[in-house]
Amino acid sequence: MWKDILNIHQDCEEYFINFDKIPGDADSLIACAGISTLRTEYQIGKNGTGEVFDNKQSDKKDVHYLLATQSGCGKIRLESGEYLIPEGSIVLLPAGTPFVYELADEHWSMCWFLLHDCPKFKYINKLNASIFQSDNALPIYKTMSLLQDINYVAGQHQSEIMSGLMDVLIFQIEQATNTNVSLTPQQDKFKALIKSVIKQLQYPWTVASLAEKMHLSEPQFYRLCKRETGLSPLKLITKYRLEYACNLLRYTQYNLEQIAFSIGYADSISFAHRFKLFYGISPGKWRSIEKKTNS
């Protein structure tokens, strides 16, 4: 019954946003996304077996679908029936959901996301496919529009602005989709701890010190961190440190010693070694390439 369908009339306008070029981990959270203004005819269908990227049929990946409607109207057919998608609504389709959605009015303006089935969005697997009114629908659309607009503006702070907008967008997506799933007290405490870690990257964090703050043993904390983020505690801290280092390399004149100290490394040699292991390039060369790219 369910099959992949792609039927887009030439009157439709779609803009795709490339998350590979946005600083941070945007591309690890969002497989692809875009803004669409649809007219005349538009129909997308999926059989629920995953998406293929890079034209490799054997590498199908599970993704969650999210649509936020700004104006006009669409409709969607699910196994449970057919539903309208009105202005100000959110459509949430957990990975594995077969569907067909299409234009149901003279026009339909919306933005759409394919969210990786990653630790950040694993709670979506507990939800049912749904269409609901949300105060977050229009803000999500506006943030996507800003990302689209800023992509055309060259300047020193373009990447920084896009990175900030991505933080806002991910927060809005979580707010829109997480209404029916509450965090446990332990998850709340873990989330607060990670926020404090990000604010104090220069602190000599260890698994023992983190576990103590959670009142857990080291093995218990390790399992919690792995379950919530997909990474071990030290790999998670390294990721945050090096992402922040990239911002310092890009937007400041700090030397490598200053950057190393500000993110918790004893010296520039340790920092450069870890940076090259993570990114495959030295921090000095990374900075040089960034300056040429943005000049």
Side-chain angles (χ1 to χ4, degrees):
M1 174 183 177
W2 300 99
K3 60 182 180 179
D4 288 351
I5 299 169
L6 180 64
N7 188 6
I8 304 175
H9 195 274
Q10 63 184 11
D11 291 342
C12 297
E13 299 174 2
E14 292 200 284
Y15 176 87
F16 292 79
I17 292 179
N18 184 0
F19 294 97
D20 292 341
K21 298 186 181 300
I22 298 177
D25 58 356
D27 60 335
S28 70
L29 301 175
I30 302 175
C32 60
I35 300 176
S36 301
T37 301
L38 310 171
R39 300 181 183 89
T40 308
E41 190 173 16
Y42 182 86
Q43 188 179 52
I44 299 292
K46 295 295 176 180
N47 61 19
T49 59
E51 288 291 339
V52 175
F53 301 100
D54 300 324
N55 296 317
K56 295 179 180 178
Q57 292 294 332
S58 61
D59 290 342
K60 283 194 172 185
K61 296 181 180 179
D62 289 333
V63 290
H64 310 293
Y65 276 78
L66 174 71
L67 313 179
T69 295
Q70 187 258 352
S71 62
C73 187
K75 63 180 178 180
I76 187 167
R77 179 160 49 89
L78 302 170
E79 290 179 326
S80 59
E82 187 169 284
Y83 310 89
L84 288 177
I85 308 173
E87 176 181 324
S89 67
I90 295 284
V91 174
L92 181 61
L93 305 170
T97 303
F99 63 84
V100 176
Y101 62 76
E102 57 192 319
L103 183 66
D105 203 346
E106 291 184 358
H107 89 284
W108 182 17
S109 293
M110 55 91 161
C111 60
W112 52 270
F113 303 85
L114 273 61
L115 307 174
H116 284 298
D117 189 15
C118 59
K120 184 82 167 177
F121 296 127
K122 68 177 182 179
Y123 64 87
I124 295 178
N125 289 306
K126 301 176 184 178
L127 303 176
N128 295 319
S130 55
I131 303 94
F132 53 93
Q133 290 297 122
S134 172
D135 291 339
N136 288 287
L138 296 183
I140 287 173
Y141 184 91
K142 288 179 180 177
T143 303
M144 283 287 283
S145 297
L146 286 171
L147 280 168
Q148 176 186 1
D149 292 342
I150 202 68
N151 198 41
Y152 290 110
V153 180
Q156 179 181 357
H157 301 295
Q158 182 196 43
S159 295
E160 187 176 11
I161 294 169
M162 293 186 81
S163 180
L165 286 173
M166 277 307 308
D167 289 341
V168 171
L169 182 63
I170 295 300
F171 174 78
Q172 290 171 333
I173 289 173
E174 287 186 296
Q175 288 291 301
T177 59
N178 215 3
T179 53
N180 295 323
V181 178
S182 58
L183 298 178
T184 66
Q186 186 183 66
Q187 288 174 317
D188 273 328
K189 192 172 181 179
F190 177 79
K191 195 171 183 179
L193 175 61
I194 296 305
K195 284 182 179 179
S196 69
V197 168
I198 293 171
K199 291 177 182 178
Q200 295 178 287
L201 292 173
Q202 76 283 4
Y203 187 82
W205 296 105
T206 64
V207 177
S209 64
L210 293 167
E212 184 180 359
K213 288 182 177 294
M214 289 290 298
H215 303 293
L216 296 172
S217 68
E218 290 184 42
Q220 285 175 323
F221 180 77
Y222 181 96
R223 289 193 294 271
L224 172 65
C225 186
K226 190 82 172 178
R227 186 173 68 245
E228 293 299 316
T229 70
L231 296 173
S232 69
L234 294 184
K235 283 186 178 180
L236 183 67
I237 293 170
T238 297
K239 173 178 174 291
Y240 286 132
R241 281 176 169 160
L242 296 181
E243 285 177 355
Y244 186 63
C246 287
N247 284 329
L248 294 177
L249 288 166
R250 184 185 289 113
Y251 302 120
T252 75
Q253 299 301 316
Y254 292 170
N255 61 39
L256 296 190
E257 285 287 344
Q258 291 170 313
I259 292 175
F261 178 77
S262 69
I263 60 172
Y265 287 98
D267 51 56
S268 61
I269 296 175
S270 300
F271 162 57
H273 175 71
R274 183 59 58 185
F275 190 96
K276 190 168 184 178
L277 282 177
F278 197 84
Y279 290 109
I281 188 174
S282 71
K285 192 168 183 180
W286 190 94
R287 171 180 262 172
S288 185
I289 292 171
E290 278 294 303
K291 285 184 176 180
K292 287 179 183 177
T293 302
N294 295 315
S295 62

